[in-house]
Amino acid sequence: MKEEEVNRCQIQEWYPKFKPVSIKTQLHELPESFIQYLLDDSGPFLLPVSISNDDALPNRIHNPDEEEDYQVIEGSEDESEQPSPPPSFPELELKIKESIESLGGAVFPKMNWSAPKDSAWISTTGSLRCTSFSEIALLLRSSDSLIHDLCHAYDSCSDKSSSRPPSFFLALRKWYTSLSPEMEFRCFVRGQNLVGISQREVTTFYPVLLEKKNILEMLILQFFEDNIRPKFESENYTFDVYVTKDKRIKVLDFNPWGAFTLPLLFNWEELEQNSRKDGNDVDFRIVESQCGVRPGLKTAVPYDYLDTAPGSGWDQFLRNADEELQQQIRSSEAGK
C-alpha cells in the first residue's frame, strides 16, 4: 500500500468529487492547537470553554462539595501546580455552529478517515448525533480510534515518509434519523473490479435482505460502474454505500484495501482469490440466518469497561448467548 492510496481515502479528498452522490457534508480544516488538544493526555480531561455556553452533558449533576477538592488555597504549597485553564476555540466553534444549523441542526462528526464510534457511549444519546461544538469535542476527545488518524494513518504504507498528514479536517455530516442499518454495504474493489459486497452491520440478521439481495446487487454494481470506477483513481480500495428506500445509492466512505479496514463477512485471502477468478460475478454476502451472525456486542461501551470476570453479570450473559447459539446450530443441523 502506498501513501497516495491512503490519502485518496481522506474525506476532504474524495467528498468534492462525489458530493452529488453522497450525503450532505460540511468540511472544516482544524487548527493545530485543536489537534494538540486532542492528543494531550498529560492533565485532567477538560472540555473546551464554549462561547455559546453549550454543555455536552447537560443532565449531569454538579456537586459543589466535589468541586472544592480541586480548589487551591492561596499561599498553599500546591499553588504552583494549579491546572491550566480549559482551552477555548471560539473561531472554530462559530464555524461549526453555522454548519450544524445549515445541516438541519444535527450532525455526526468524522475526521480525515475515522469517526469516533468508540466514544458514542459517553454522549447523552448513546450515538454520534451532535447538536453543538461541545458535544463534538466530547466525542473526539474521548475517542481512542481517532488516534489512528492522528498518529498511525501511514503505518501500513511501504513508502511511509510521515506519521501524519499535513492537515486535519473535521467533516460534519447531516444526521438522518430514518437510516436503516441493514441498507448499508461495504464494497471491495481489486484491480478496479468489484469483487465483493458485504452487509455492513454483521451483528444482526435482517430477513428483508434475503428478499432483496439480487436487486441490491444489481443496483450497487451499476452504481459502481457509473459513478465510482470512472472517478476513484486507486486500483484497490473499499467503499461503503447506503441504499435508500427509492433505490438510490449514496456513497458514505472510502477505505484502503487491507490494513486497518475490516473485511466484515469476508477475509482478505478470500477477496484476493475472488479477484483472480474469471468472469464478472460479484460475491455478495449477507447474514442469512441467526446462526450466521458474527460475534459482537452492541453495547456502545468499550470492552475495558465491561466486567466479564467469572460470576459477573456479563459473564453469565455471554454464557447464555453462547448456549443459545449452540442450540440454534444444533436445531439447524437437525432440520437438514
Side-chain angles (χ1 to χ4, degrees), residues 157-216:
C157 295
S158 58
D159 61 344
K160 178 181 177 181
S161 61
S162 175
S163 61
R164 51 162 284 179
S167 56
F168 289 98
F169 285 78
L170 174 66
L172 301 178
R173 319 206 73 185
K174 182 178 177 65
W175 180 268
Y176 295 92
T177 56
S178 59
L179 292 186
S180 303
E182 68 271 21
M183 287 294 116
E184 187 176 349
F185 303 92
R186 173 157 293 175
C187 307
F188 301 86
V189 179
R190 184 75 174 171
Q192 291 195 333
N193 291 314
L194 185 61
V195 298
I197 304 172
S198 172
Q199 177 179 329
R200 183 71 178 83
E201 215 297 68
V202 297
T203 66
T204 306
F205 166 54
Y206 297 103
V208 67
L209 293 182
L210 293 173
E211 306 168 12
K212 298 184 176 182
K213 185 178 179 181
N214 291 337
I215 184 65
L216 288 169

Side-chain angles (χ1 to χ4, degrees), residues 190-288:
R190 184 75 174 171
Q192 291 195 333
N193 291 314
L194 185 61
V195 298
I197 304 172
S198 172
Q199 177 179 329
R200 183 71 178 83
E201 215 297 68
V202 297
T203 66
T204 306
F205 166 54
Y206 297 103
V208 67
L209 293 182
L210 293 173
E211 306 168 12
K212 298 184 176 182
K213 185 178 179 181
N214 291 337
I215 184 65
L216 288 169
E217 180 177 341
M218 289 190 295
L219 288 171
I220 294 172
L221 181 57
Q222 191 63 53
F223 178 79
F224 169 71
E225 296 288 350
D226 294 343
N227 297 280
I228 304 297
R229 179 149 63 178
K231 296 180 181 179
F232 201 77
E233 298 173 354
S234 293
E235 290 280 323
N236 311 311
Y237 57 94
T238 75
F239 65 96
D240 294 347
V241 296
Y242 181 81
V243 183
T244 67
K245 291 181 180 179
D246 56 359
K247 299 180 181 179
R248 289 178 297 123
I249 309 289
K250 297 290 185 180
V251 61
L252 301 179
D253 204 5
F254 286 88
N255 284 292
W257 178 276
F260 52 83
T261 305
L262 294 176
L264 301 175
L265 293 175
F266 294 95
N267 60 53
W268 290 112
E269 290 75 18
E270 290 173 325
L271 290 164
E272 291 279 359
Q273 291 173 1
N274 288 350
S275 68
R276 291 191 288 268
K277 292 179 180 178
D278 296 329
N280 298 319
D281 290 339
V282 178
D283 191 351
F284 187 7
R285 297 187 181 183
I286 61 175
V287 176
E288 298 187 351

